[in-house]
């Protein structure tokens, strides 16, 4: 990317929640503990590989944790039933659920019930959304966009619900969220909306849009499995080419022309070292 001028987003890279989770694992390893994580601790293959080399094992369910291992819950959080299983098995557990995600768990637990439907803006297959659903006392409905929201609202209206609450995955697309809340307000008379997109995500998306508007092209660095990285690409794409790469090796020189200005940002799970390599 030497021929181009690079503008790096100030909000690029590790957010507070991911940083805390990775540091918790590193601290446990430094103390000489055997560590398991419930799913990969971060959507970044390089960091996961570094931790695996230090002995960290990735498990899918608490049942797989070997005796003597400390289990770390990642920043995405888990369903209430998983906490129950961990307790039942008497496992030592370190909870790295991001406080912003834990707040959503408290909101849905306190405000849902048999007659109150929970609408969740997010990806139905994402672990954070599965965790949020697992703290709802009644039925929850997940939608990724306005079209899916309209379908879910029809189902809710044909059901026996007295009220609705609406929350979002912390990394949901901010502009889509605003449009979805407008639609929901028109359809539900008894609706409570909780804006649960985290500040780190909202700020990163806004800065990415601003950069994309000012630059010829955008490069977004992050894991392909990372929801917030994919959203960064989506919010930049309307303004010009937006390339998603996992590291500097994936950059193709013919993407850029001399004299172009290229905006560079990165998802919440991209370490600073990987971002620094990209402009070279
Ligand atoms: Fe927490 Fe936000 Fe980072 Fe998710 S993106 S881990 S909610 S700070």
């Amino acid at each position: 990317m030497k021929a181009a001028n690079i503008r790096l987003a100030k909000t690029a890279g590790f957010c507070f929640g991911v940083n805390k989770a990775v540091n918790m694992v590193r601290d446990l390893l430094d103390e000489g503990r055997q560590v398991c994580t419930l799913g990969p601790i971060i959507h970044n293959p390089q960091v996961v590989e570094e931790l695996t080399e230090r002995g960290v094992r990735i498990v899918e369910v608490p049942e797989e944790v070997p005796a003597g291992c400390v289990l770390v819950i990642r920043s995405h959080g888990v369903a209430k039933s998983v906490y129950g299983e961990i307790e039942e098995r008497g496992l030592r557990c370190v909870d790295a659920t991001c406080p912003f995600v834990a707040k959503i768990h408290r909101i849905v637990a306190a405000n849902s019930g048999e007659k109150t439907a929970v609408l969740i803006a997010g990806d139905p297959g994402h672990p954070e959304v599965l965790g949020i659903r697992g703290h709802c006392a009644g039925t929850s409905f997940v939608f990724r966009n306005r079209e899916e929201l309209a379908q879910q609202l029809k189902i809710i209206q044909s059901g026996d619900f007295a009220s609705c609450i609406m929350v979002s995955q912390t990394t949901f697309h901010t502009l889509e969220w605003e449009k979805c809340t407008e639609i929901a307000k028109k359809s539900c008379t008894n609706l409570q909306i909780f804006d649960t997109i985290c500040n780190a995500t909202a700020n990163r998306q806004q800065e990415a849009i601003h950069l994309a508007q000012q630059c010829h092209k955008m490069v977004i660095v992050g894991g392909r499995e990372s929801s917030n990285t994919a959203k960064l690409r989506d919010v930049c794409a309307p303004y010009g080419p937006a390339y998603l790469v996992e590291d500097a090796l994936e950059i193709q020189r013919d993407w850029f022309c001399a004299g172009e200005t290229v905006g560079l940002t990165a998802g919440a799970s991209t370490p600073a070292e990987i971002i620094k390599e990209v402009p070279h």
Side-chain angles (χ1 to χ4, degrees), residues 34-258:
Q34 285 186 303
V35 181
C36 283
T37 60
L38 207 43
I41 192 74
I42 175 174
H43 291 300
N44 179 277
Q46 292 89 345
V47 175
V48 169
E49 196 183 320
E50 173 222 311
L51 295 174
T52 308
E53 275 166 15
R54 291 188 66 188
V56 172
R57 272 178 264 185
I58 300 171
V59 295
E60 295 306 319
V61 285
E63 196 186 339
E64 291 170 15
V65 178
C69 251
V70 180
L71 178 64
V72 179
I73 296 175
R74 58 189 171 172
S75 55
H76 294 321
V78 291
K80 197 176 165 193
S81 58
V82 178
Y83 285 106
E85 199 184 336
I86 290 168
E87 206 180 313
E88 256 173 42
R89 294 184 173 273
L91 298 173
R92 183 163 172 228
C93 173
V94 169
D95 191 352
T97 303
C98 178
F100 296 123
V101 177
K103 185 179 157 196
I104 308 176
H105 293 171
R106 289 196 297 275
I107 289 172
V108 296
N111 295 283
S112 59
E114 202 189 323
K115 295 275 175 191
T116 306
V118 181
L119 278 161
I120 305 168
D123 174 352
H126 193 282
E128 182 188 320
V129 173
L130 298 173
I132 295 168
R133 297 190 90 173
H135 287 265
C136 295
T139 317
S140 58
F141 300 84
V142 184
F143 59 94
R144 278 173 289 209
N145 48 41
R146 278 161 279 175
E147 293 72 35
E148 290 187 6
L149 170 63
Q151 289 164 8
Q152 301 292 34
L153 285 168
K154 272 189 203 153
I155 300 171
I156 290 173
Q157 278 159 352
S158 65
D160 190 22
F161 297 105
S163 59
C164 270
I165 68 162
M166 185 161 155
V167 296
S168 77
Q169 189 177 343
T170 52
T171 51
F172 198 66
H173 188 317
T174 45
L175 298 177
E176 189 67 21
W177 167 254
E178 280 163 26
K179 287 170 187 157
C180 288
T181 55
E182 288 310 314
I183 293 172
K185 276 183 211 163
K186 283 181 196 146
S187 309
C188 301
T189 43
N190 199 356
L191 169 73
Q192 242 189 314
I193 297 174
F194 299 88
D195 183 350
T196 51
I197 296 178
C198 93
N199 284 343
T201 301
N203 294 343
R204 197 180 295 107
Q205 286 182 12
Q206 269 152 21
E207 194 188 12
I209 291 169
H210 189 65
L211 264 185
Q213 286 168 337
Q214 295 180 334
C215 297
H216 294 98
K217 284 161 191 172
M218 287 294 292
V219 172
I220 296 107
V221 194
R224 290 211 166 71
E225 299 298 316
S226 158
S227 155
N228 76 88
T229 304
K231 301 266 176 14
L232 285 174
R233 194 228 5 245
D234 294 347
V235 298
C236 292
Y239 306 101
Y243 303 104
L244 201 163
V245 296
E246 286 204 335
D247 56 34
L249 296 175
E250 292 186 6
I251 299 270
Q252 291 177 27
R253 291 190 172 263
D254 58 7
W255 288 345
F256 312 103
C257 304

Side-chain angles (χ1 to χ4, degrees), residues 12-23:
F14 264 24
C15 66
F16 141 85
V18 168
N19 201 26
K20 188 174 136 229
V22 172
N23 284 341

